[in-house]
């Protein structure tokens, strides 16, 4: 049986803390997480981790994926080096394959015009406004937002970001999704019993 596949973008200065909750629990749920770099050459995260991408960006096709995840990175704001990832996000959304972007990646998508007609969030509204994009009226001041296959979140919300990914893909639902969020976001010990019960079923 072919495992479901998600693609995690990795590039120099990517924020390694922003996607860990999502990728760890997607893997536990049976997804194959494939890393995608600008090329096949290794990249280094903002935390100094050296990552060898599984494949280069030009080899990624929406039809082979369940989701594209774009973490933040210094490079989103200091150069155009990551613009090809924003263009790939457009191709995914055009093919009705979801995209999840956090932190600086939201600015990249704003520059690509992908937030002009979707509800979205980021670090703060004026961060995206500085890109000159046309979607300011659709900015939502909350932890994470999902709209028509696109999830956005700010840099301080990796757990809420993961929650919206799980909701979109149906990894967890209802009280189990709520319990997962309460456990990892609020350190609610009572939520653990809900997850244990669900895992036993």
């Amino acid at each position: 049986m072919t495992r479901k596949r998600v693609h995690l973008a990795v590039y120099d200065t990517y924020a390694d803390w922003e996607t860990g909750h999502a990728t760890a629990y997607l893997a536990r749920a049976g997804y194959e997480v494939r890393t995608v770099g600008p090329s096949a050459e290794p990249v280094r995260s903002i935390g100094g981790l050296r990552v060898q991408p599984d494949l280069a960006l030009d080899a990624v096709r929406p039809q082979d994926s369940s989701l594209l995840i774009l973490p933040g990175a210094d490079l989103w704001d200091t150069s155009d080096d990551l613009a090809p990832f924003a263009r790939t996000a457009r191709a995914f959304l055009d093919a009705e394959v979801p995209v999840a972007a956090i932190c600086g990646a939201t600015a990249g998508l704003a520059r690509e015009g992908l937030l002009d007609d979707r509800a979205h969030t980021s670090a703060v509204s004026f961060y995206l406004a500085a890109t000159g994009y046309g979607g300011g009226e659709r900015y939502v001041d909350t932890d994470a937002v999902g709209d028509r296959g696109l999830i956005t979140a700010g840099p301080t919300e990796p757990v809420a970001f993961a929650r919206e990914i799980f909701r979109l893909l149906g990894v967890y639902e209802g009280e189990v999704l709520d319990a997962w969020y309460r456990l990892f976001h609020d350190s609610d010990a009572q939520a653990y019993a809900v997850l244990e019960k669900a895992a036993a079923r």
Side-chain angles (χ1 to χ4, degrees):
M1 177 182 252
T2 303
R3 298 180 71 195
K4 296 167 284 186
R5 182 173 292 169
V6 298
H7 289 91
L8 170 67
V10 292
Y11 19 73
D12 285 333
T13 74
Y14 84 91
D16 27 22
W17 69 90
E18 292 176 343
T19 59
H21 287 88
T23 54
Y25 281 85
L26 286 171
R28 285 188 167 191
Y31 284 83
E32 177 188 4
V33 179
R34 303 269 287 164
T35 53
V36 181
S39 70
E41 294 300 310
V43 300
R44 195 167 295 276
S45 77
I46 201 168
L49 301 181
R50 183 180 183 274
V51 178
Q52 176 69 58
D54 293 314
L55 67 165
L57 183 62
D58 60 10
V60 175
R61 301 183 307 171
Q63 60 266 36
D64 296 331
S65 186
S66 299
L67 174 71
L68 174 65
I69 303 174
L70 300 173
D74 291 345
L75 287 179
W76 283 113
D77 297 319
T78 59
S79 73
D80 293 327
D81 290 357
L82 301 185
F85 285 89
R87 290 193 291 271
T88 298
R90 177 179 291 283
F92 268 61
L93 292 170
D94 286 348
E96 300 184 347
V97 178
V99 173
I102 186 169
C103 189
T106 62
L109 298 193
R111 293 184 191 98
E112 182 65 20
L114 295 175
L115 305 185
D116 288 353
D117 61 352
R118 285 179 169 86
H120 59 275
T121 194
S122 185
V124 286
S125 60
F126 56 81
Y127 170 63
L128 291 186
T131 68
Y133 83 130
E137 292 184 357
R138 294 183 176 270
Y139 186 90
V140 183
D141 190 11
T142 191
D143 54 10
V145 173
D147 186 13
R148 292 166 39 228
L150 177 61
I151 294 167
T152 51
T156 61
E157 300 296 340
V159 178
F161 183 60
R163 177 195 62 201
E164 294 309 308
I165 289 172
F166 302 155
R167 189 196 312 276
L168 181 67
L169 296 180
V171 173
Y172 301 126
E173 298 175 326
E175 69 171 359
V176 176
L177 180 63
D178 178 66
W180 185 91
Y181 181 75
R182 286 189 290 113
L183 179 63
F184 287 97
H185 188 268
D186 304 327
S187 299
D188 182 350
Q190 294 181 350
Y192 184 76
V194 178
L195 297 176
E196 282 284 281
K197 184 178 179 181
R201 287 200 290 262

